[in-house]
Every structure is written in C-alpha cells, then in structure tokens.
Amino acid sequence: MEKFIILSDVSCDLSEEIREYCGAEDYMRGHVHFSTGEDFPTTLDWQYISCDEFYKTLSNKKVEVTTAPASPEEFYLTFKKYVEEGYAILSMSISSKISSTYNVACGAAERVRSELPDANIYCFDTYRMSGAFGLLVLYAHLLKKEGKSMQEIIAWLEENKHKVHQ
C-alpha cells in the first residue's frame, strides 16, 4: 500500500484532541496580519495569539485584520519534504471560492512535480469552509485509519463534498 499523508490547511479548525484521535499528523499553517504591525503564523492550537485575543482584535474597528494561506514557498517546501520521504500527498484546502489556498497548493504541487516527476500529489478543493471543511478532513483521516487507499479516500471526498454544509 502506498504511504501517503493528508495535509489540510489551518482553516479546518480541528482541535488537538480530534487530530490525535484521527491521526492527523501535520497541516499547513497560514498567516494573520494586524494593521498595528503585528504578524502571526496561524496554528490550530493558537500558539502565537490566544483565540480570545484574536477575536477581540477582530472586533476592534480601529485595527484592520488580514489573513493569508501558507505561501507558495511554504507549500512547496512542505510538499517536497514529504515526497522526498516517500509519501504521496492528499492536500485538502478550504473552498477556492473564498481563499487562494487551493490555487497556491496546486502551484506548489506543479513545481514539485517539475523537479520530481514521480511525485503523487492530489490537491482537493473541498468547496467548503469552517465546520464542513473540518468534517471532510476528519472523514478523510478516519477512512485512512480504516486502511483505505488515497485513491479510495479521494473518490469518497469527490462523491461527498457537496453533501456537507456549514
């Protein structure tokens, strides 16, 4: 059976307990910028700013808040690392309708494939956000835990992505 990793982006919002339960090994971080000059990597465990402080700042009309996915270089380096370690990659992204994450992942996958033609990287646009995105990520990991192949998981995701809603 092919060795593969499921890499979702940070907006899946899965808690540490859920990630441990389903075996989620890694994920792509993002970035947040405050107009006050503060920049933070976004993580699922709120390591650099507390959830309460983030939402308090978000509600402050005097502070502009912007977010961004992992950079093309961050995706590229992460994808390349896993491919060089012998993994196939199922990259799962928040909806391309509201974020550039999917397109950034696709570009990075192409770059890795241009250098390592045997790289097996599948970029999956969930067309979902928030809880529905997280639910698809959770199901993908649970199917992997059951022993399903990456292709079987992709088929399940493609068949079911429009059946979950936030």
Side-chain angles (χ1 to χ4, degrees):
M1 176 180 257
E2 183 176 42
K3 181 168 79 167
F4 68 97
I5 187 164
I6 299 169
L7 282 174
S8 66
D9 73 70
V10 69
S11 37
C12 69
D13 292 333
L14 297 181
S15 70
E16 182 178 11
E17 295 80 15
I18 291 173
R19 293 191 321 271
E20 285 178 10
Y21 172 77
C22 70
E25 300 152 322
D26 199 0
Y27 64 94
M28 296 302 300
R29 284 108 185 113
H31 304 276
V32 65
H33 173 76
F34 295 157
S35 60
T36 57
E38 296 172 281
D39 291 297
F40 303 96
T42 54
T43 66
L44 289 170
D45 300 319
W46 298 93
Q47 293 163 303
Y48 302 98
I49 184 173
S50 74
C51 181
D52 291 338
E53 187 173 337
F54 173 77
Y55 284 105
K56 182 179 173 187
T57 304
L58 196 60
S59 66
N60 181 346
K61 304 293 184 212
K62 294 178 183 178
V63 179
E64 205 173 297
V65 179
T66 56
T67 60
S71 71
E73 189 69 9
E74 289 168 316
F75 266 100
Y76 164 76
L77 291 172
T78 301
F79 285 178
K80 187 175 180 186
K81 175 187 85 139
Y82 280 112
V83 168
E84 288 176 339
E85 291 174 3
Y87 286 89
I89 299 168
L90 170 53
S91 172
M92 297 181 68
S93 300
I94 190 170
S95 176
S96 63
K97 304 285 185 192
I98 63 166
S99 173
S100 64
T101 306
Y102 172 74
N103 292 322
V104 172
C106 289
E110 278 304 311
R111 184 176 167 197
V112 171
R113 284 190 211 103
S114 74
E115 296 174 17
L116 304 166
D118 292 336
N120 181 4
I121 304 170
Y122 187 87
C123 296
F124 178 71
D125 185 349
T126 64
Y127 291 106
R128 298 291 169 257
M129 59 185 191
S130 192
F133 172 35
L135 189 59
L136 287 172
V137 173
L138 175 61
Y139 273 114
H141 281 287
L142 292 175
L143 289 168
K144 181 181 180 187
K145 202 172 175 181
E146 288 176 8
K148 302 292 184 195
S149 70
M150 189 166 103
Q151 285 309 114
E152 289 173 310
I153 295 168
I154 290 168
W156 187 93
L157 289 168
E158 291 290 356
E159 183 179 324
N160 290 284
K161 68 184 172 188
H162 296 296
K163 296 178 183 176
V164 294
H165 303 283
Q166 42 277 356

